[in-house]
Amino acid sequence: MRVARRDERTLDVTFSEGLFHDAMSKIQRTRRDPLRAGERIEVSGMTATVLSLTPDGSRPQRVELRFDRPLEDPELVWVASRDTRFERFDLPPVGGERVLDAIDLQRAFAGT
């Protein structure tokens, strides 16, 4: 997964295998209700916009996450998966990017 910092409030996230690629993540979104390129999801404090889909068109591959506050706001906590746990990580600076390991949700939840 690549996380690029566009500005003080925006991340551009690219998922190597696309979002919702494993069995555990399909609990959250099924093939009968796919996200489409350009679709926006608004939740409190953030808007996610699907920028592109996987080559087969079935899952989001690149998503923009736009927050209502600077990403350094102390109310926001940034974590990434490492083996079977989550650890804090530092966001890249504006214009920078970081590559993170993809999370295996089934393994993370099982703690193995």
Side-chain angles (χ1 to χ4, degrees):
M1 175 172 61
R2 182 184 58 82
V3 178
R5 179 87 179 262
R6 296 295 169 229
D7 58 40
E8 71 170 3
R9 297 171 186 243
T10 309
L11 297 174
D12 183 328
V13 182
T14 302
F15 301 89
S16 56
E17 297 181 47
L19 194 56
F20 311 124
H21 72 280
D22 62 3
M24 288 295 290
S25 63
K26 289 177 184 165
I27 292 170
Q28 300 163 358
R29 197 78 180 199
T30 68
R31 286 185 184 260
R32 287 175 285 170
D33 188 24
L35 289 168
R36 310 241 186 271
E39 190 167 346
R40 293 170 51 135
I41 307 280
E42 294 185 28
V43 296
S44 180
M46 185 203 71
T47 299
T49 303
V50 177
L51 299 177
S52 66
L53 301 175
T54 54
D56 67 0
S58 67
R59 298 178 313 281
Q61 179 133 44
R62 193 167 148 234
V63 179
E64 176 189 84
L65 305 175
R66 174 88 176 148
F67 292 80
D68 67 353
R69 65 188 78 194
L71 301 177
E72 284 78 21
D73 187 299
E75 300 256 333
L76 299 173
V77 176
W78 301 99
V79 297
S81 69
R82 167 125 14 234
D83 298 320
T84 60
R85 64 187 182 281
F86 292 98
E87 297 178 349
R88 286 182 184 247
F89 83 98
D90 296 323
L91 290 172
V94 172
E97 63 181 56
R98 289 196 55 197
V99 175
L100 303 172
D101 292 334
I103 183 171
D104 180 332
L105 288 175
Q106 188 169 357
R107 186 172 170 222
F109 287 134
T112 60

